[in-house]
Amino acid sequence: MQASEFRAQPGTLYIVATPIGNLRDITLRALDILKTADLVAAEDTRVSGGLLSAHGISARLFACHEHNERTAAAELVQRLQEGRSVALISDAGTPGISDPGAVVARAARAAGLTVVPIPGASAVAAALSAAGLAEGRWLFHGFLPHKTGERRRELETLAAVPQSLVFYESPHRLLETVADLAVVLGGERRLFIARELTKRFEELHECALAEAVDWLQGDENRRRGEFVLIVSGCPTERDDGMKEARRVLEILLEDLPASQAARLAARITGAKKNALYALAQELKPSP
Ligand code: SAM
C-alpha cells in the first residue's frame, strides 16, 4: 500500500479508467499517471481534453480510436520502446471494455513491455454493484448487433446461459432491444435497467421483461441517456424443480400444517424437506 503520489515509469503503458459521467469519479493514482505520463493516448482528444483540464492537467495527447487503433498501437509501441511512458484512456470508463484499448494493450504485451491497469469506473461494474444479483454470477455481452435479425440470432445463442446477462445499449435502439430480449429470452425473466449512472438523472428500475417496454414508453425521460441492461439468467432445472415443489406445497398447505405439508411435498417432488419447511413457514406462519 502506498498513499504517496505515483509517477509514470519509462517504457510503461498504463491503461487508465476515467469517469462514466461524474468527473470526480477518478482515482488519485489515475490523476498521478495522467499528470506524469509523457503521452496520453485518447479515444477522442476533445473529450479527454475536457476531463484533463477539469483536473488541471495539461498533457500531450495522441489520438487512438477504433479507426486507427492498429497503426496507433504500432506507433505507441515504438514510443514505449524508446523509453516513453504512455497513459491510454477512452472517452468514458475502462478502456478495452466496449471501447478501444485492447489492441494497444495486446501489442505492448506482445512486445514484452510492461502494461499496468489503473482501475476505476466502468458502467458494467457500477450497474452490477447496485443490481444485487442473488447468485453473483454474470456474463458481460456489451452491445448487441444493430439489425433486428442479427440481434435476435445473437440473443438465441445466449438464451440457455444460466448466468445473468449484461448488455450495453444506446437510447436509439433501447426499445427495440428490450422488445427483442422479451421475445427471445422470455417475458418472465427479470430486467434491471441502470440509466445515466453517476449523472444527474441516474435511475435504476427492475421489472419483468414482459413489462419493460410499457414502462419505458410510460415516460420519454426513461429512454434518455446511456443504459446498462441486466437480464436474469435462464432458469435452471433446479429452479424449475423448486417451482414445482412450491406449487405442490401451496396445495398441501391448504389442508395441512407446515411440517406435514413440507414432509409430503418433499416426498412427492424430491426437493429438500428443510427448504420446503422454511418456505412453508413463510407461506403459512405457525399460529
Ligand atoms: N468503457 C466503458 C465502460 O467501462 O463502461 C463503456 C464504453 S461504451 C462505448 C458506452 C456504453 O456504456 C453506453 O452506450 C452505455 O451502454 C454504457 N454506459 C457508459 N456510461 C454509462 C452511464 N453513465 N450509465 C449507464 N450506462 C453507461
Side-chain angles (χ1 to χ4, degrees):
M1 268 329 162
Q2 186 181 335
S4 54
E5 284 184 22
F6 277 87
R7 284 199 70 79
Q9 296 301 303
T12 303
L13 172 67
Y14 296 88
I15 310 288
V16 183
T18 58
I20 55 168
N22 188 321
L23 287 186
R24 295 190 68 75
D25 286 339
I26 187 154
T27 69
L28 297 176
R29 194 150 82 107
L31 292 175
D32 289 345
I33 296 298
L34 292 171
K35 266 184 219 158
T36 57
D38 294 318
L39 209 58
V40 174
E43 185 180 3
D44 182 329
T45 51
R46 280 166 310 170
V47 171
S48 297
L51 170 76
L52 295 172
S53 71
H55 289 285
I57 298 172
S58 59
R60 276 187 63 196
L61 289 167
F62 177 97
C64 175
H65 42 75
E66 62 172 323
H67 305 295
N68 78 343
E69 199 177 351
R70 280 178 202 288
T71 47
E75 200 165 324
L76 288 170
V77 164
Q78 199 182 329
R79 306 277 182 102
L80 288 158
Q81 282 168 334
E82 289 163 4
R84 306 262 167 72
S85 54
V86 175
L88 184 136
I89 57 180
S90 61
D91 285 355
T94 302
I97 299 186
S98 299
D99 256 348
V103 175
V104 180
R106 181 162 289 278
R109 287 194 14 255
L113 293 157
T114 306
V115 178
V116 177
I118 307 291
S122 187
V124 51
L128 284 163
S129 71
L133 299 187
E135 74 287 2
R137 295 191 193 136
W138 43 275
L139 185 145
F140 177 66
H141 193 79
F143 290 102
L144 284 159
H146 298 182
K147 292 192 181 143
T148 309
E150 282 174 40
R151 186 167 53 234
R152 289 192 178 184
R153 275 194 293 282
E154 198 149 306
L155 282 173
E156 274 156 20
T157 69
L158 300 171
V161 172
Q163 291 84 11
S164 292
L165 302 170
V166 186
F167 302 98
Y168 279 171
E169 195 48 281
S170 74
H172 320 293
R173 280 179 296 278
L174 179 72
L175 277 179
E176 297 166 42
T177 294
V178 170
D180 284 349
L181 289 171
V183 168
V184 181
L185 304 179
E188 282 187 2
R189 292 214 206 171
R190 306 295 296 169
L191 173 67
F192 179 78
I193 302 174
R195 180 171 84 87
E196 291 289 84
L197 290 164
T198 78
K199 301 188 202 174
R200 184 158 171 225
F201 296 109
E202 178 177 86
E203 182 171 35
L204 305 176
H205 179 75
E206 189 182 333
C207 61
L209 264 178
E211 296 157 7
V213 168
D214 280 352
W215 184 80
L216 289 167
Q217 278 176 327
D219 180 346
E220 66 180 275
N221 289 325
R222 294 175 184 162
R223 308 193 293 274
R224 293 212 165 110
E226 302 194 270
F227 295 83
V228 181
L229 304 173
I230 306 180
V231 182
S232 59
C234 179
T236 59
E237 265 177 37
R238 214 170 121 246
D239 296 337
D240 287 345
M242 202 54 200
K243 228 178 183 175
E244 175 59 9
R246 184 189 175 114
R247 196 184 66 81
V248 171
L249 182 67
E250 279 172 347
I251 295 170
L252 293 172
L253 278 173
E254 286 171 16
D255 293 309
L256 299 172
S259 59
Q260 212 177 336
R263 188 160 39 79
L264 281 175
R267 275 180 62 194
I268 295 166
T269 64
K272 288 248 164 22
K273 194 171 76 186
N274 288 352
L276 287 175
Y277 184 66
L279 184 58
Q281 292 288 347
E282 264 176 48
L283 296 170
K284 188 179 178 181
S286 333

